[in-house]
Amino acid sequence: TLATLLAMHAGERLLFVFNRTVDSDALPHDRVEKFLERPLPVDIPHDLDLLHRATTAGKPVVELEPDHPISRELLRLARFVE
């Protein structure tokens, strides 16, 4: 659980990512941040069409549509973990 990870002092090594797997505003970004009491610095938007096109083309999203919001967020995530 989150509490267990934080108790082990792993908190400074945790990076939370808001990955929108469905097209819904039922669970807003700020509500999740408030619940976790942690920032969500990466917010990957939902775009099933783009993900299908990338899969069908056999290309990474960031190569197929480099200026798309998903690509920008994936690159932001890469910078956090490099």
Side-chain angles (χ1 to χ4, degrees), residues 12-75:
E12 59 271 0
R13 293 179 31 212
L14 293 176
L15 173 67
F16 290 90
V17 173
F18 196 63
N19 185 12
R20 298 173 186 269
T21 58
V22 295
D23 191 16
S24 171
D25 292 327
L27 192 58
H29 184 166
D30 60 337
R31 186 172 165 200
V32 176
E33 284 184 324
K34 185 176 179 180
F35 174 79
L36 294 173
E37 297 177 350
R38 311 275 300 183
L40 297 167
V42 178
D43 187 344
I44 302 172
H46 176 79
D47 189 333
L48 193 56
D49 179 60
L50 174 59
L51 297 175
H52 281 166
R53 286 188 294 121
T55 301
T56 301
K59 293 184 175 183
V61 170
V62 296
E63 183 181 319
L64 188 66
E65 293 276 345
D67 295 325
H68 192 281
I70 290 178
S71 297
R72 290 194 303 266
E73 290 299 303
L74 289 173
L75 292 171

